[in-house]
């Protein structure tokens, strides 16, 4: 995967470094695991009037809409048929959601049409 980073020169938010690293690591790890080689992953970090906003977009296999909430459950893996081929425990997104809620934020999942997924993290200022 290639990664595009689009962000301001300086952006400050009161978050523990380990928490921010875990959010980034898990979202990018999922994007890489569920995308073919040489597929672009886009990462955006911005600030609006109310939130610090982190967006990770991939062009991978995507997630069925009815499973968007389930993917944050510990040990849930959407594609059981391929779970032996794709390494992971199914806890990465649960950890991400837990950290985001610690900061009173939210994570929104949408399809990245024509294929892939978009994770939008909003952390209140």
């Amino acid at each position: 995967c290639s990664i595009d980073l689009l962000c301001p020169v300086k952006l400050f938010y009161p978050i523990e470094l380990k928490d921010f690293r875990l959010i980034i690591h898990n979202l990018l790890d999922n994007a890489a695991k569920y995308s073919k080689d040489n597929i672009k992953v886009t990462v955006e970090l911005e600030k609006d009037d109310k939130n610090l906003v982190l967006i990770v977009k991939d062009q991978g296999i995507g997630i069925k809409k009815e499973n968007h909430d389930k993917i944050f459950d510990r040990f849930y893996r959407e594609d059981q048929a391929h779970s032996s081929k794709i390494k992971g425990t199914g806890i990465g997104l649960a950890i991400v959601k837990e950290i985001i809620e610690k900061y009173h934020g939210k994570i929104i999942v949408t399809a990245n049409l024509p294929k892939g997924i978009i994770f939008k993290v909003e952390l209140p200022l």
Side-chain angles (χ1 to χ4, degrees), residues 77-89:
R77 307 250 343 240
E78 182 181 51
D79 189 356
Q80 296 300 322
H82 293 98
S83 63
S84 62
K85 296 176 189 172
I86 300 173
K87 293 182 180 182
T89 59

Side-chain angles (χ1 to χ4, degrees), residues 60-117:
I61 61 175
I63 301 166
K64 294 177 187 168
K65 187 170 181 156
E66 63 266 21
N67 295 332
H68 283 189
D69 288 335
K70 294 177 190 174
I71 61 173
F72 297 107
D73 294 342
R74 286 187 180 269
F75 309 113
Y76 179 80
R77 307 250 343 240
E78 182 181 51
D79 189 356
Q80 296 300 322
H82 293 98
S83 63
S84 62
K85 296 176 189 172
I86 300 173
K87 293 182 180 182
T89 59
I91 63 168
L93 291 177
I95 291 169
V96 167
K97 185 174 183 188
E98 189 175 295
I99 293 168
I100 292 166
E101 288 175 347
K102 173 182 168 181
Y103 293 93
H104 308 286
K106 64 182 177 179
I107 185 165
I108 302 158
V109 182
T110 55
N112 187 16
L113 300 175
K115 66 180 187 172
I117 202 75

Side-chain angles (χ1 to χ4, degrees), residues 2 15 23 28 37 43 47-48 52 63 106-107 111 118 120:
S2 66
I15 189 170
I23 291 170
L28 291 179
D37 290 341
V43 177
K47 189 166 89 171
D48 64 21
L52 175 76
I63 301 166
K106 64 182 177 179
I107 185 165
I118 300 170
K120 181 177 182 183

Side-chain angles (χ1 to χ4, degrees), residues 1-7 24-33 35-45 54-59:
C1 291
S2 66
I3 300 173
D4 288 342
L5 294 173
L6 307 171
C7 60
I24 295 292
H25 170 80
N26 284 309
L27 291 178
L28 291 179
D29 187 53
N30 274 3
K33 279 194 291 193
S35 297
K36 294 180 181 177
D37 290 341
N38 299 318
I39 295 294
K40 183 170 135 178
V41 174
T42 303
V43 177
E44 299 174 33
L45 184 62
L54 170 68
I55 300 170
V56 177
K57 300 177 187 177
D58 69 47
Q59 297 171 350

